[in-house]
Amino acid sequence: MSDLQPSRLEKLRIVEGFLRHQLGQVEKWIAEEQQRQAEQRRGRERRPPVPDWVLEVGIGAGKPPVAVHVGGCHMSGKRVRGISRDEARHALTDGVQACTHCRADTELGVLE
């Protein structure tokens, strides 16, 4: 019966093969993670700078302006476009509301 059982050396070789396979899998995962991180880094580097001022527009025909925000304001919606400082001041003086969170009107020195 003992002849049918694998020897200790054969068992160790089986474990060795399994561990080599596992090591190869871990090395593959490391390479994939390094590539993912490199892609994220390149994406951050290529991202256009945040505009100093943004105009949030509404839904519908003509997309009327809704609010003026400081660039990067967490309350600005998805429908925004970057504007210059002069355009922001002009929008506020034309009656467009300033965001109540970032207080674009205070930042621009335009007080009602």
Side-chain angles (χ1 to χ4, degrees):
M1 283 296 262
S2 64
D3 290 342
L4 299 176
Q5 295 292 324
S7 70
R8 178 172 165 76
L9 181 58
E10 290 172 327
K11 289 177 183 177
L12 289 171
R13 294 286 184 202
I14 291 169
V15 171
E16 179 187 34
F18 172 76
L19 292 175
R20 285 185 194 280
H21 173 74
Q22 289 300 105
L23 179 59
Q25 185 65 45
V26 170
E27 289 170 339
K28 177 183 164 212
W29 291 336
I30 288 171
E32 289 171 353
E33 181 63 19
Q34 288 174 327
Q35 181 167 349
R36 186 186 67 78
Q37 288 179 1
E39 288 171 358
Q40 285 181 335
R41 186 175 49 255
R42 281 191 302 273
R44 283 191 303 270
E45 291 168 356
R46 292 178 182 167
R47 184 176 298 142
V50 174
D52 292 334
W53 311 100
V54 294
L55 182 65
E56 182 176 1
V57 295
I59 301 172
K63 297 183 181 180
V66 175
V68 176
H69 298 270
V70 173
C73 175
H74 67 281
M75 293 302 292
S76 61
K78 292 183 179 183
R79 295 176 314 276
V80 296
R81 64 177 178 89
I83 57 175
S84 69
R85 180 179 191 86
D86 288 338
E87 290 173 308
R89 290 177 65 111
H90 185 68
L92 290 171
T93 57
D94 282 350
V96 178
Q97 296 295 312
C99 173
T100 58
H101 292 268
C102 66
R103 299 303 308 187
D105 55 349
T106 303
E107 292 289 323
L108 288 164
V110 177
L111 303 174
E112 295 179 23

